[in-house]
Amino acid sequence: MPAAPLRLGLAGLGTVGIGVVKIVQAEAELIAARAGRPVAITAVSARDRSRNRDADLSGYAWETDPVALARRGDVDVFVEVMGGHEGAAKAATEAALAAGKHVVTANKALLAHHGQSLAEAAEAAGLSLRFEAAVAGGIPVIKALTEGLAGNRMKRVMGVMNGTCNYILTRMQSAGLPYDQVFEEARSLGYLEADPNLDVGGIDAGHKLSLLAAIAFGTRVAFDAVELEGIGNVSIDDIRLAEDMGYRIKLLGVAQMTGRGLEQRMTPCLVPADSPLGQLQGGTNMVVLEGDSVGQIVLRGPGAGMGPTASAVMGDVIDLARGFRVPTFGIPAAQLVPAQPARAATPAPYYLRMTLVDKPGALAKIATCLGDAGVSIDQMRQYGHEGANAPVLIVTHKAAPDDLAHAMARFAATGVLTGAPVAIRIEEV
Ligand code: HSE
């Protein structure tokens, strides 16, 4: 007797949802062979039924309410690709788990805010909650961490996980354009989320980092503890000068467990221009995983879009069809320990840019502030200038963030600075 199909209820018919429909329809045979049983969509839901979606949905039952879809008797797996961390997405995911359905979601915000309670509900009911598509689009990073690297104690997880920000930063660099102009360009190309601050404020990437940190370090998701700084203050001057010194600026996420607790930050950083992260162009994502046994793994690929995100959803769906089960965050949710958040204190070199009055002793005063705080200068350049102000660039040796902050707090009192200094961490990758 042929195996019974795995029946999907698909909530959300935007780019990702239609991508899932296309793969299910075009690759039915391949999927059945790989999964050992057919995978079929039985019902769908979206806000607007009348919209032309460039896909044949005529064989599927239609539900206006995703909660009703989640509860249908002919649905085994609820696929949530609606987005939003409250409201319908949350209610429907909870309803699906309560009704005994597995859930596959692309919703990073939902899991960053409610991952613990949803994973506990799923596991208490013997169900799977899977989210490969939520982090770095088509890159199978959740599988890499929960399966391939399961024998490692993870040391550090890093990544460029917002394609829009990477597009903006690389375009600024390659075209020599200021942030505001490239932001508008990204908006006109449709790259920005409905709320652009999710992208450029680092929130979307911060959601993703918090999910990876939970798996890597066995801690409950702690999105609120991610130190977040977006790219809105990255100037074309810094991009140019960083390039001059052999660096590129990236919105880089870093999570690592230290003796003081879990450091998680998503902030603009300098990385060596010739490193894999420095070479990353446009909307592409990159995740760097460091384990004690394996060393460093670099995963690079598309972080968004119809095909890549649907590819990740289908990887999870096929695992469920095969009967393969992994706890949502790699170990049972009840065993995840609360993260003890630690403010970033790992020492690093820093890039400092400032403008000084061009008078004898000005530079010495700044050097003294740094020296008194225990911050040592590695490289320094004063750029050619006309007039009374001198642009100065300093790269420090490794310094503790608090020591640097202490030095910078004393800069103002020197009276030699014109304008605010800029400090950007240089991440050793
Ligand atoms: N807006 C995101 C990005 C994709 O630009 O990478 C969805 O997380």
Side-chain angles (χ1 to χ4, degrees):
M1 204 174 69
L6 184 79
R7 300 165 302 175
L8 311 182
L10 179 60
L13 292 170
T15 307
V16 184
I18 294 302
V20 171
V21 169
K22 286 182 188 286
I23 296 179
V24 169
Q25 291 180 352
E27 300 297 352
E29 251 179 66
L30 179 74
I31 292 167
R34 288 190 172 149
R37 59 195 285 203
V39 169
I41 296 170
T42 47
V44 297
S45 88
R47 265 192 300 240
D48 177 6
R49 189 170 186 172
S50 61
R51 216 173 106 194
N52 179 15
R53 292 191 165 86
D54 181 33
D56 179 7
L57 306 174
S58 59
Y60 311 143
W62 181 276
E63 295 281 0
T64 315
D65 177 6
V67 172
L69 176 76
R71 292 183 176 142
R72 283 177 69 100
D74 58 1
V75 164
D76 304 311
V77 178
F78 179 66
V79 179
E80 187 275 298
V81 288
M82 295 181 288
H85 70 271
E86 300 297 339
K90 179 166 179 273
T93 301
E94 288 170 342
L97 295 172
K101 323 290 183 182
H102 302 292
V103 173
V104 172
T105 180
N107 193 330
K108 58 234 80 181
L110 178 69
L111 289 177
H113 288 279
H114 305 293
Q116 181 66 27
S117 59
L118 292 171
E120 282 178 8
E123 288 164 26
L127 298 165
S128 279
L129 167 63
R130 308 280 307 243
F131 63 98
E132 186 67 76
V135 181
I139 300 177
V141 60
I142 307 297
K143 280 184 96 65
L145 269 177
T146 53
E147 297 173 42
L149 300 177
N152 284 258
R153 196 164 278 278
M154 298 309 295
K155 296 165 71 151
R156 185 167 66 154
V157 173
M158 291 188 286
V160 167
M161 293 181 278
N162 184 276
T164 304
C165 288
N166 204 53
Y167 167 81
I168 291 175
L169 293 173
T170 51
R171 174 93 176 121
M172 286 171 73
Q173 181 229 329
S174 61
L177 295 171
Y179 173 83
D180 290 342
Q181 195 173 333
V182 179
F183 176 90
E184 285 311 324
E185 198 178 279
R187 192 204 293 275
S188 66
L189 290 166
Y191 290 177
L192 286 158
E193 300 280 342
D195 172 4
N197 198 41
L198 285 174
D199 285 319
V200 296
I203 299 165
D204 167 81
H207 288 152
K208 295 166 182 168
L209 182 73
S210 71
L211 300 177
L212 293 186
I215 302 172
F217 304 112
T219 46
R220 294 175 173 223
V221 182
F223 167 66
D224 289 344
V226 179
E227 286 182 39
L228 276 185
E229 185 189 329
I231 62 167
N233 290 326
V234 176
S235 76
I236 184 65
D237 289 344
D238 291 318
I239 286 184
R240 278 202 199 107
L241 294 173
E243 183 80 19
D244 239 30
M245 308 281 280
Y247 295 102
R248 300 241 163 93
I249 301 182
K250 298 287 169 191
L251 178 67
L252 184 67
V254 180
Q256 59 193 339
M257 188 59 80
T258 69
R260 295 164 294 98
L262 177 64
E263 280 188 13
Q264 302 177 94
R265 53 199 149 78
M266 180 60 68
T267 58
C269 286
L270 267 66
V271 295
D274 59 1
S275 65
L277 283 162
Q279 292 286 308
L280 191 70
Q281 295 290 314
T284 311
N285 281 199
M286 181 172 283
V287 185
V288 180
L289 306 172
E290 293 173 353
D292 59 350
S293 296
V294 74
Q296 191 182 73
I297 302 270
V298 178
L299 301 169
R300 174 185 179 280
M306 178 181 280
T309 314
S311 157
V313 168
M314 290 310 296
D316 282 343
V317 165
I318 291 170
D319 267 356
L320 291 174
R322 288 169 166 151
F324 181 67
R325 305 278 182 267
V326 182
T328 304
F329 295 106
I331 61 174
Q335 291 173 28
L336 294 165
V337 296
Q340 185 191 324
R343 230 164 42 80
T346 307
Y350 279 85
Y351 158 104
L352 306 178
R353 179 173 62 84
M354 62 200 83
T355 309
L356 304 185
V357 293
D358 196 0
K359 290 198 175 138
L363 198 50
K365 287 186 177 160
I366 294 300
T368 301
C369 293
L370 290 167
D372 287 351
V375 178
S376 171
I377 295 171
D378 178 27
Q379 299 178 55
M380 209 199 66
R381 284 187 195 171
Q382 180 167 304
Y383 282 82
H385 61 283
E386 290 167 6
N389 297 327
V392 167
L393 197 61
I394 293 174
V395 173
T396 71
H397 284 291
K398 272 191 187 180
D402 279 353
D403 290 345
L404 184 80
H406 190 223
M408 291 185 67
R410 294 184 48 203
F411 282 0
T414 63
V416 300
L417 278 181
T418 65
V422 171
I424 309 178
R425 186 181 172 95
I426 302 176
E427 193 67 32
E428 298 195 307
V429 297

